[in-house]
Every structure is written in structure tokens, then in C-alpha cells.
Amino acid sequence: MTKMKSQYESFREKIKVILYGTDTVLGRLFDLVLLGLILLSVLLVMMETVQGINQKYHSQLIICEWIITVFFTIEYILRIISIQKPVKYIFSFYGIIDLLAVLPMYLSIFFPGASILSVIRALRFFRLFKILHIPQISHQSVQLREAIEASKEKILVFIYFVLISTVIIGSVMYVIEGKESGFTSIPVSIYWTIVTLTTVGYGDISPITPLGQFVASFVMILGYGIIAVPTGIVTAEFAKNSLKNNTVSGKKTCQNCNSQVHFDNAKYCYECGTELPNI
Amino acid sequence: MTKMKSQYESFREKIKVILYGTDTVLGRLFDLVLLGLILLSVLLVMMETVQGINQKYHSQLIICEWIITVFFTIEYILRIISIQKPVKYIFSFYGIIDLLAVLPMYLSIFFPGASILSVIRALRFFRLFKILHIPQISHQSVQLREAIEASKEKILVFIYFVLISTVIIGSVMYVIEGKESGFTSIPVSIYWTIVTLTTVGYGDISPITPLGQFVASFVMILGYGIIAVPTGIVTAEFAKNSLKNNTVSGKKTCQNCNSQVHFDNAKYCYECGTELPNI
Amino acid sequence: MTKMKSQYESFREKIKVILYGTDTVLGRLFDLVLLGLILLSVLLVMMETVQGINQKYHSQLIICEWIITVFFTIEYILRIISIQKPVKYIFSFYGIIDLLAVLPMYLSIFFPGASILSVIRALRFFRLFKILHIPQISHQSVQLREAIEASKEKILVFIYFVLISTVIIGSVMYVIEGKESGFTSIPVSIYWTIVTLTTVGYGDISPITPLGQFVASFVMILGYGIIAVPTGIVTAEFAKNSLKNNTVSGKKTCQNCNSQVHFDNAKYCYECGTELPNI
Amino acid sequence: MTKMKSQYESFREKIKVILYGTDTVLGRLFDLVLLGLILLSVLLVMMETVQGINQKYHSQLIICEWIITVFFTIEYILRIISIQKPVKYIFSFYGIIDLLAVLPMYLSIFFPGASILSVIRALRFFRLFKILHIPQISHQSVQLREAIEASKEKILVFIYFVLISTVIIGSVMYVIEGKESGFTSIPVSIYWTIVTLTTVGYGDISPITPLGQFVASFVMILGYGIIAVPTGIVTAEFAKNSLKNNTVSGKKTCQNCNSQVHFDNAKYCYECGTELPNI
């Protein structure tokens, strides 16, 4: 009995190393197979929506999707079994995504069409960084996240003001253009304003009256200046971060020669070689 | 009589705390209700312009709008009554917006359709910052405003040159493309030039002659370089601001020569040598 | 005789002050009138090309244009007469523009339609800065010009590479899309590539084959990274310039206290107030 | 015999100077002629695809292309003959391009239409910098390459996340919009998402349902913030480079601890206090 339990324990341990580990050959191989399957699975769901392909290979596609889904289900169960704290995993970000990755196929038994939701499996790709385990890339993605995080508040304040402006501009354009030229309601006009301010410019709705075109020109030039703002925010953040690594805030003074331009992480005065105070 | 007056005074005081205050529970609650009503009111005006919704629920929409308008009117009157200097409020930015927020509905009695102007209520959202009273966000919006303010002049000079260019380019395209392909007049061609230079690109007007497409390509590549300029201006401003925090906050002013750009840790004016005040 | 000559001389001097000067009331007034006339004249040429307006007011427009042209002609002649070195003026940038501003109308006597070229008068607006004579704006425009000048070379090198890429990408898309979907020839495909890379995106030509749309997606994401480059170049230039004004290159050392973090334009040590050496 | 060999040697030497050299008059002249021929050749291939021109001048175009191809072939052979290490040249970047530049015409004997591939000759333009031999431009292009190189990793990580997002957003739009409005399959919806996020906005596919337009607005505002990221990355890189010139050029290496980020005027290593070499 104890032997069986210990056998089960060792099996659990083995599974855990394969599923969660990235250091062993087997663990790494499994991760790569998993990545390949996720990619394949997302491509299958996409192809299912393409008329021509779906008509020819419908049953093949469905079979492949079921095979992958069963594989993912087994993987999900093993992940729960092998980990120490299964509840923590189940309610973690990746745990929820792992569940959402298999649910749609089972739902599609009762609700045909639900299988499209399997596309959510794409989110499993976020694991790539953990899997690839390349320190440099992790470092870059941390820097990216930090810069975006730091500029988030400013950008939200900015978008808040932009949204109020779109309501006003959209209403003005609705009044000017009338219903003949696509500006059929204020919400549609606001949609047009966003399309214009962001310089996307579909052209599905565009002003046709001279006054409307004049105001639109004004909005575009405004959008010109406006697009500079989020860029400015993010760039300043990046610049600050990349300078921070070698900043000179002037807080260090050499007690021998009184020189003051030192790196913040400097240990010795570059002028006379005296040890600098640690701040 | 004095009692009545003092009762009225205390009522005024109470109203003032609710309407203008953000520190008491009641004042804050009122602000949140107000925000909700403004949002609701803007949504109502929008929905009124959507054909499908308006036909079904026209009378309900109108009734709701009137209720909100009456509420806003009472609020406006109470604001005037409760404040010490009503004239100052009436002619302040928010005072004018508060008036403009209620006027259109009353105007719509005589001029049907004027109710659309109620959308101007969206401007009342600008109060959000005062209401939410989050120091960090206020700080961010101040930084945003400062950076935009500082780059305003440069951007205006830049837009001036861009506008002259659009006149020249627009005329050239008008001559090249002729009237067959949408470039029906110079103003329309200028509109096209702005649409192109700002990279909006609706496609409602686009060159069809080979020469026109060649010149358009040139304009686009020009627009490429040009869009970099406002971004560069704003970004440099942001970067300067974010670096300034570490070194020169501009809080020190020399009392002898009025120069203001000093290091935060400066003791003497670098311009005239006078000792600086310690802050 | 000498009196007459001296009278003529004083007349010339007077004219010169009015035409070239910006300090006297009369000179400034003349400049403002001139600006107004240029604006009016450009608007007239524009309106002439608008079908509806031209049909109604053709003769009025032509008369106004002739009056302005005669005024500009007299101004041009007076400018030549009153200045010391007329040849230098005639072949200067503004001299040529002043001539080009009047020529088209006279040409239109022989070649109807040449009057459109009068739009070149818009270039006379460039004088605005000299006329308005606002030091701050002049300063900003100098800063703008410097930053653009400094980044010119880098941007040209960049555009050179982009152009080679457009030739390759355009040819690939021509081969992929074939003649059915608007990619009728390589030049047209190159035009499409430029429209796409600059994120203008008219939509007059757009890929319809799956492979074409795939390659187009790739081009767009490339354009994403590419648009960052000119912006980066210009921004870095602006940032450098705006920092330069208050830079600390560390070349100044106080000979009394040996402190080294001084502004490059500092005259006194901010630490001890000693005069700094002038470098 | 030896004389003949030495004659051949001197001929080889002469050819080498002309083909590879840029310092002699003849070498430079040859380079310019070559550039002109490449340009002409690319233009010829382009014109061949233009219906109108091809019908009129088909035989002339073909003859010109053959002449240039023969010239390029001779040049290619001479390049191989004259160089010391022909194998190294053949498999170098330019060697392969030189071969690819002539192959398509010979292929077109068997496969008509292959001549379009001659457009690959445009890649030979990359030699321009080597040919023009202008140090300043080379310097600029090195700086450009460095900044792009340095930001490559961050941009790739960024694009990876954007691509995952496009899959999710594309699927959502496919579900919302249905098949009536152009969102016929998930791949097409992803194509639309990329068109929108990059602010290209063709308008060949655009949402028509209110919910679709709402989500699209959201995507555009997201794209707004997103476009700032690559710009921010590249700009920070440029700014860092341009600031680096003034302060830390990285030319000083501590011979004791190998640290490399020192001020150009540093005398002692800030890390370990060892004296730095004077450069």
C-alpha cells in the first residue's frame, strides 16, 4: 500500500517536472510540443471559418480539434493532480486560460458554433516567454511592461479628454453633415470622429459638404497634434528608463576633491580615485 | 425675522457644502449622482438621433431629458443662490457650461431640434477631476497640460507652415488631376492634401492619373517626415519635464537678477553669484 | 535739378521704409494690408475653381484678382526702385516669389487658365514672421528649422532605404495579386506600397487574395516599425536641442571649491559664489 | 608565356581596380555608369508591366533589357575573374544579388514572365553608399542601423504580443459582425485588425453593426496607445545614442575590473578606483 502510494507520488513528481519544469530535456520537449499544438489548434479554428476550406475538410478539421482538445484536457487534469496547491493553480491566470481552452469544444456538443471560442487558446502563447526562458527577452519584456505601466495613468487621463472631445466633435459633424452623407446619428458620428482622430480613416463615412470637409480638416490637424501626446508620454518613459541605468543625479560628492558628477552607482571618484560615500 | 434669515443662511450653507464641497459624504454622493445624470443625459441625446430607437421610444426619451433638465436647472439656480459671489460663478468657465447645459431644452420648445445641442453637457465631465479628487491623477493632468502648453507655440508655427504647403500641394494636384477624379476644386484638393499629410487617408478622393499618383507618393513620404515633427516637439517637452524633476525644478529664483533655472541644490545664483534662498 | 533729385531720393527713402521696414507705424500697417491682400488673393483663386461660385461671380472674381495683381505689380516695381541693390533683391528668394506672384495673371491674357498659378502667392505668407516680428515665435521657428536641418541627412538615408524596399515589395504584390484587384502594374503596386507603409491607406487599391492580404499585413507591421524611425530621429534632435539650453557638459570647474556640475552658461559657482572661468 | 600571364595579371588588376575600386577616376566613373544602368534597368522592368507602354514599345523594352543583362553578365564574370577569392565573393550578399540580377532574363527564355523578377536588381542600389563614399552619410547610416539594431529585440517582443492580440480581436469581430459585412472568416478579420491597429485603414472591410463599430472604436484607441510603443523604443535609442556622444562614448575600459561605462573625461574607474588609460 505504502509502496503503491510512493509509486503514485513518484509518478506525480515526474509529471510535475514534465509539465511545469523547463530545465530538463523532457520538460522542455513537452513545452515545445505544447506550443506546436496550440499553434496548430488556433490555425484549425481559423481554417474552420474559411468557407472554402471548411466545406472540403470539415470532418477532418473537427476530428483534429477533438484530438487536441482531449490532449489539452488530459494535460489540464494532470496539471491539477501533480501540483501541490491545485486550488491556487485553478484560479490563477494561466489556470483559467487552460480551462477556457478546452471548454468551448465540449460546449459545442450542445451549442454548435461554440467551437469558435477555442480561439482563446491563443492566450496560452503568453507562456512562451516562460518556456523559452531566454533571460534577455524576459528583461526586454519587463522593461516594456514597466514603461507602459508608468505611462498608463497619463494615457488614461489623455484618453478621457479625447473621448469628451469626440462626443462634442461628433455632434457638431452630425449637425453639419445631416443624414445624407453617412453621419446618420451621433453615435455613428462619434465613431467617425474616432476613425479620423486616430488617423485610421476607413472612408466608409466621410464628409461631403464643404463646411463638413472644413471641420474635418480641422479635426485631422487636431488629431495630428493629439497623436503626438501618447507617443510623447511613452517615449519619455522609455528614455527615462534607459537613462536611469546610468544617471547622474548629482547626489554623490567626492570628499577628497569635491567633484560632483558621478554615476549614481559609482563607488570611486573618477577624478581622484577616492572611495565615494554610499547613498 | 432674524431667525428666518439665519435659517435661510444655514440652508444656503448646507446647499453650498453639498454642491461645491467634495469632502463631506453628502457632497461626494451628490457629485457622483450628478456625474451619473450627466452621462445618462448625454446618452439620451445620442439615442434620440438613432432612427430605430427614437421611433420606438421618442416620448420616453423626451420625458427623461426634461426631468434631467429640470434637475440641472434647479441645481444651477441653487449654485447661484448658495455661493458668495454669484456673478463670478455665472461668468466662470463652469458657470457658462452649466447654463449652456440647460438652455437647449428650453430653446427646443420654440425651435424643435435644438435639443441636440444638449450634448454640450458632455463638457461638464471636465469636473470629474475636481470631483474624484485623486491627487495623483490631478498631478498627471497638470503635467500633461504643462507639456502641451510648452509645445503649443512650436506646434502652431509648424501648423502654419503645413497649411501654406497644403495650399501649394492642393493647387498642384488640382492642376494635375483635373476634374475627373474628385479633385473638383482647389479647396477640395486642399482637403485631400490634409487627409493625406495627416495619414488619415479616407480614399473618398484619390489620384487616378500616373503623374497624380507619383506626386501623391511624394506627398505621403513628406507627410511621413512631417508627422514626426509634432511628435518630436511634444516628446522633447515630456522628456525635459521628466528629467527636470531630478535636477532643476525651477522653484529657486535669484532675488538679485531674477534668473530662475537653478539646480535644486544650488546655493548661489550661477548668473550673478548672489546667495539663493534655501527651499 | 538737384532739388528734384533729392526729392526723388527722399521719396525713395520713404517708400523703402514703408515696404521693407517693420518698425514704423506706416511700415507695419502696410505689411498688415499686404498680408490681408495675399490672403484675399489666394482665397479668390481658390473660389475661382469652385464650379458653383465661379459660375455666379466669375467677372467679379476676375476684376478683384486684376486689382490685386496691379497692386502687387506696383509694389514689386517700387521694391526694385527703392532698394540700393535691386539685382540682389530680384534674384533673392522673396524677389522671385514676388515676381511669380504677379506673372500668372499677365500670362492668363494669352493662356486662359494660367491664373490658377497665382496660388503661388501663398508662398508670400512666409514673410509673416518677419512682419509680425515676435521674437519668441522667430525663436521657435529657428529651433524648428535647426532640429529639422540636423535630422535631414538621417531621414534622407532612411527614405532611400524605404524607396528600395517599396520597389521590391511593390513587385512582389504585383506578382501575387495579378491584374484583377487593382495592382495593374509595378508602378501602381509601388504607389500602393507607399500608401500602405505611410499608413495613409486610401483603400482605392487593396489586396483581395488571401496571400496578398497576408503579405499586406506583413507590410503594415513593417510600416509600424518604420514610421517610428523618422519620429525617433526628429525627436532625439528636439530633445538634444532642448537639453542643450541647460546642459551640463561638466567642462566648468569652480577654482575655489572644485565643484563641477555647472550649467555651460553659468558665470558663478552655485556652491560658493566664486566667478567661474569663461570657456 | 610568362609575359602573357603577366599581361593577363595586369589586365586582371586593372579590371579589379575599375570594378571594386572607388578611388580612381575610372573606378568611380564605372560605378556611376553602373548605378545609372541599374536605375534604367529597374525602370524598364516597371514599364514592361504598364499595359499602355508595353503594347507600344514591347520589343524595344525587351531589347534594352537584354543589352543591360548581357552587360551585367559580363560584369559578373569579370568580378569573379578579377578577385583573389572568387568563392567568397560568389556566396557573399552582393555576390548573390549580382547573380540574381541576371538570372531572371535567362530564365525568361524558358518561362515567359520570369523577366519581372529582374526587379530584384533594385537591391544592387544598396551599394550606393559604398560607391558614393561620403563619410558623413556612412556615419549616419551606421547610427541608423545601430539604433534599429538596439531596439530590434524590444520591438519583436512587442510585435509578438500585438499578434496574439490581433488573433483575439479578429475572432471577436468575426463573431460580432457575422458574414454580411466583409468579416467572412477569422483570417480576414485578423487582416482587418492589423489594418486598423496600424492605422492604415483601407476601408475595404469596415464594421457596420453598432456593436462592431463600438468594438472597432475601442480597437482604434488601443492602436493609438500601441503605435506609441515602437516609436518610444526607437526614439529612446536615438536619444541615448545622441546623448552618449557628449558624455559616455564607452571607449574607456577599466583594465582592472573590465567595466566599460565611463565618462570620456574620467581618470579613475568608478567601480574599483583603478586609474583609467588616457585616450
Side-chain angles (χ1 to χ4, degrees), chain C residues 195-212:
Chain C
V195 167
T196 301
L197 269 184
T198 56
T199 77
V200 169
Y202 287 132
D204 51 348
I205 306 163
S206 62
I208 53 170
T209 65
L211 184 58

PDB file of all heavy atoms in Angstrom, chain C residues 195-212:
ATOM      1  N   VAL C 195       1.417  54.021 -50.067  1.00  0.00           N
ATOM      2  CA  VAL C 195       0.158  54.324 -49.374  1.00  0.00           C
ATOM      3  C   VAL C 195       0.036  53.498 -48.093  1.00  0.00           C
ATOM      4  O   VAL C 195      -0.434  53.976 -47.065  1.00  0.00           O
ATOM      5  CB  VAL C 195      -1.056  54.065 -50.301  1.00  0.00           C
ATOM      6  CG1 VAL C 195      -2.356  54.073 -49.520  1.00  0.00           C
ATOM      7  CG2 VAL C 195      -1.113  55.101 -51.407  1.00  0.00           C
ATOM      8  N   THR C 196       0.515  52.253 -48.158  1.00  0.00           N
ATOM      9  CA  THR C 196       0.377  51.354 -47.008  1.00  0.00           C
ATOM     10  C   THR C 196       1.453  51.607 -45.953  1.00  0.00           C
ATOM     11  O   THR C 196       1.157  51.718 -44.761  1.00  0.00           O
ATOM     12  CB  THR C 196       0.446  49.889 -47.464  1.00  0.00           C
ATOM     13  OG1 THR C 196      -0.603  49.672 -48.402  1.00  0.00           O
ATOM     14  CG2 THR C 196       0.296  48.934 -46.296  1.00  0.00           C
ATOM     15  N   LEU C 197       2.705  51.717 -46.400  1.00  0.00           N
ATOM     16  CA  LEU C 197       3.817  51.893 -45.449  1.00  0.00           C
ATOM     17  C   LEU C 197       3.676  53.189 -44.658  1.00  0.00           C
ATOM     18  O   LEU C 197       4.054  53.257 -43.493  1.00  0.00           O
ATOM     19  CB  LEU C 197       5.153  51.911 -46.193  1.00  0.00           C
ATOM     20  CG  LEU C 197       5.863  50.584 -46.378  1.00  0.00           C
ATOM     21  CD1 LEU C 197       7.198  50.792 -47.038  1.00  0.00           C
ATOM     22  CD2 LEU C 197       6.050  49.857 -45.057  1.00  0.00           C
ATOM     23  N   THR C 198       3.144  54.223 -45.301  1.00  0.00           N
ATOM     24  CA  THR C 198       2.980  55.505 -44.600  1.00  0.00           C
ATOM     25  C   THR C 198       1.705  55.511 -43.764  1.00  0.00           C
ATOM     26  O   THR C 198       1.358  56.539 -43.191  1.00  0.00           O
ATOM     27  CB  THR C 198       2.939  56.676 -45.593  1.00  0.00           C
ATOM     28  OG1 THR C 198       1.899  56.420 -46.532  1.00  0.00           O
ATOM     29  CG2 THR C 198       4.241  56.813 -46.343  1.00  0.00           C
ATOM     30  N   THR C 199       0.987  54.397 -43.726  1.00  0.00           N
ATOM     31  CA  THR C 199      -0.281  54.237 -43.002  1.00  0.00           C
ATOM     32  C   THR C 199      -1.363  55.212 -43.469  1.00  0.00           C
ATOM     33  O   THR C 199      -2.295  55.500 -42.719  1.00  0.00           O
ATOM     34  CB  THR C 199      -0.119  54.370 -41.473  1.00  0.00           C
ATOM     35  OG1 THR C 199       0.005  55.746 -41.126  1.00  0.00           O
ATOM     36  CG2 THR C 199       1.066  53.595 -40.934  1.00  0.00           C
ATOM     37  N   VAL C 200      -1.239  55.712 -44.705  1.00  0.00           N
ATOM     38  CA  VAL C 200      -2.306  56.552 -45.242  1.00  0.00           C
ATOM     39  C   VAL C 200      -3.509  55.662 -45.549  1.00  0.00           C
ATOM     40  O   VAL C 200      -4.617  55.908 -45.076  1.00  0.00           O
ATOM     41  CB  VAL C 200      -1.832  57.318 -46.495  1.00  0.00           C
ATOM     42  CG1 VAL C 200      -3.008  57.967 -47.196  1.00  0.00           C
ATOM     43  CG2 VAL C 200      -0.816  58.365 -46.102  1.00  0.00           C
ATOM     44  N   GLY C 201      -3.298  54.628 -46.366  1.00  0.00           N
ATOM     45  CA  GLY C 201      -4.351  53.633 -46.595  1.00  0.00           C
ATOM     46  C   GLY C 201      -5.623  54.150 -47.215  1.00  0.00           C
ATOM     47  O   GLY C 201      -6.668  54.130 -46.585  1.00  0.00           O
ATOM     48  N   TYR C 202      -5.556  54.648 -48.481  1.00  0.00           N
ATOM     49  CA  TYR C 202      -6.778  55.120 -49.143  1.00  0.00           C
ATOM     50  C   TYR C 202      -7.803  53.998 -49.280  1.00  0.00           C
ATOM     51  O   TYR C 202      -8.994  54.200 -49.087  1.00  0.00           O
ATOM     52  CB  TYR C 202      -6.457  55.619 -50.554  1.00  0.00           C
ATOM     53  CG  TYR C 202      -5.737  56.917 -50.577  1.00  0.00           C
ATOM     54  CD1 TYR C 202      -4.606  57.082 -51.361  1.00  0.00           C
ATOM     55  CD2 TYR C 202      -6.195  57.998 -49.837  1.00  0.00           C
ATOM     56  CE1 TYR C 202      -3.949  58.287 -51.405  1.00  0.00           C
ATOM     57  CE2 TYR C 202      -5.535  59.202 -49.872  1.00  0.00           C
ATOM     58  CZ  TYR C 202      -4.401  59.340 -50.659  1.00  0.00           C
ATOM     59  OH  TYR C 202      -3.752  60.517 -50.696  1.00  0.00           O
ATOM     60  N   GLY C 203      -7.340  52.820 -49.701  1.00  0.00           N
ATOM     61  CA  GLY C 203      -8.287  51.757 -49.980  1.00  0.00           C
ATOM     62  C   GLY C 203      -8.754  51.767 -51.428  1.00  0.00           C
ATOM     63  O   GLY C 203      -9.620  50.987 -51.795  1.00  0.00           O
ATOM     64  N   ASP C 204      -8.202  52.680 -52.279  1.00  0.00           N
ATOM     65  CA  ASP C 204      -8.551  52.633 -53.706  1.00  0.00           C
ATOM     66  C   ASP C 204      -7.988  51.355 -54.325  1.00  0.00           C
ATOM     67  O   ASP C 204      -8.572  50.792 -55.238  1.00  0.00           O
ATOM     68  CB  ASP C 204      -8.065  53.882 -54.450  1.00  0.00           C
ATOM     69  CG  ASP C 204      -6.590  54.167 -54.195  1.00  0.00           C
ATOM     70  OD1 ASP C 204      -6.011  53.544 -53.287  1.00  0.00           O
ATOM     71  OD2 ASP C 204      -6.017  55.016 -54.888  1.00  0.00           O
ATOM     72  N   ILE C 205      -6.854  50.908 -53.817  1.00  0.00           N
ATOM     73  CA  ILE C 205      -6.298  49.618 -54.197  1.00  0.00           C
ATOM     74  C   ILE C 205      -6.104  48.837 -52.898  1.00  0.00           C
ATOM     75  O   ILE C 205      -5.514  49.367 -51.958  1.00  0.00           O
ATOM     76  CB  ILE C 205      -4.925  49.774 -54.889  1.00  0.00           C
ATOM     77  CG1 ILE C 205      -5.040  50.741 -56.061  1.00  0.00           C
ATOM     78  CG2 ILE C 205      -4.382  48.426 -55.341  1.00  0.00           C
ATOM     79  CD1 ILE C 205      -3.699  51.278 -56.529  1.00  0.00           C
ATOM     80  N   SER C 206      -6.609  47.622 -52.844  1.00  0.00           N
ATOM     81  CA  SER C 206      -6.354  46.809 -51.650  1.00  0.00           C
ATOM     82  C   SER C 206      -6.346  45.343 -52.049  1.00  0.00           C
ATOM     83  O   SER C 206      -7.069  44.936 -52.952  1.00  0.00           O
ATOM     84  CB  SER C 206      -7.381  47.096 -50.560  1.00  0.00           C
ATOM     85  OG  SER C 206      -8.662  46.765 -50.983  1.00  0.00           O
ATOM     86  N   PRO C 207      -5.507  44.535 -51.389  1.00  0.00           N
ATOM     87  CA  PRO C 207      -5.349  43.141 -51.785  1.00  0.00           C
ATOM     88  C   PRO C 207      -6.637  42.354 -51.561  1.00  0.00           C
ATOM     89  O   PRO C 207      -7.347  42.593 -50.585  1.00  0.00           O
ATOM     90  CB  PRO C 207      -4.233  42.638 -50.874  1.00  0.00           C
ATOM     91  CG  PRO C 207      -4.281  43.521 -49.688  1.00  0.00           C
ATOM     92  CD  PRO C 207      -4.716  44.861 -50.195  1.00  0.00           C
ATOM     93  N   ILE C 208      -6.941  41.419 -52.453  1.00  0.00           N
ATOM     94  CA  ILE C 208      -8.140  40.593 -52.258  1.00  0.00           C
ATOM     95  C   ILE C 208      -7.806  39.108 -52.132  1.00  0.00           C
ATOM     96  O   ILE C 208      -8.601  38.354 -51.606  1.00  0.00           O
ATOM     97  CB  ILE C 208      -9.179  40.802 -53.385  1.00  0.00           C
ATOM     98  CG1 ILE C 208      -8.551  40.609 -54.759  1.00  0.00           C
ATOM     99  CG2 ILE C 208      -9.810  42.177 -53.278  1.00  0.00           C
ATOM    100  CD1 ILE C 208      -9.575  40.577 -55.877  1.00  0.00           C
ATOM    101  N   THR C 209      -6.635  38.681 -52.603  1.00  0.00           N
ATOM    102  CA  THR C 209      -6.277  37.273 -52.445  1.00  0.00           C
ATOM    103  C   THR C 209      -5.767  37.039 -51.021  1.00  0.00           C
ATOM    104  O   THR C 209      -5.182  37.942 -50.415  1.00  0.00           O
ATOM    105  CB  THR C 209      -5.164  36.870 -53.432  1.00  0.00           C
ATOM    106  OG1 THR C 209      -3.984  37.598 -53.099  1.00  0.00           O
ATOM    107  CG2 THR C 209      -5.561  37.174 -54.858  1.00  0.00           C
ATOM    108  N   PRO C 210      -5.994  35.845 -50.473  1.00  0.00           N
ATOM    109  CA  PRO C 210      -5.503  35.557 -49.107  1.00  0.00           C
ATOM    110  C   PRO C 210      -4.007  35.806 -48.970  1.00  0.00           C
ATOM    111  O   PRO C 210      -3.572  36.454 -48.020  1.00  0.00           O
ATOM    112  CB  PRO C 210      -5.834  34.077 -48.922  1.00  0.00           C
ATOM    113  CG  PRO C 210      -6.996  33.837 -49.818  1.00  0.00           C
ATOM    114  CD  PRO C 210      -6.792  34.720 -51.008  1.00  0.00           C
ATOM    115  N   LEU C 211      -3.211  35.332 -49.949  1.00  0.00           N
ATOM    116  CA  LEU C 211      -1.770  35.527 -49.853  1.00  0.00           C
ATOM    117  C   LEU C 211      -1.430  37.018 -49.878  1.00  0.00           C
ATOM    118  O   LEU C 211      -0.590  37.496 -49.118  1.00  0.00           O
ATOM    119  CB  LEU C 211      -1.060  34.795 -51.005  1.00  0.00           C
ATOM    120  CG  LEU C 211       0.469  34.838 -50.950  1.00  0.00           C
ATOM    121  CD1 LEU C 211       0.982  34.242 -49.653  1.00  0.00           C
ATOM    122  CD2 LEU C 211       1.076  34.104 -52.142  1.00  0.00           C
ATOM    123  N   GLY C 212      -2.119  37.757 -50.765  1.00  0.00           N
ATOM    124  CA  GLY C 212      -1.903  39.202 -50.853  1.00  0.00           C
ATOM    125  C   GLY C 212      -2.201  39.885 -49.541  1.00  0.00           C
ATOM    126  O   GLY C 212      -1.457  40.765 -49.090  1.00  0.00           O
TER     127      GLY C 212
END
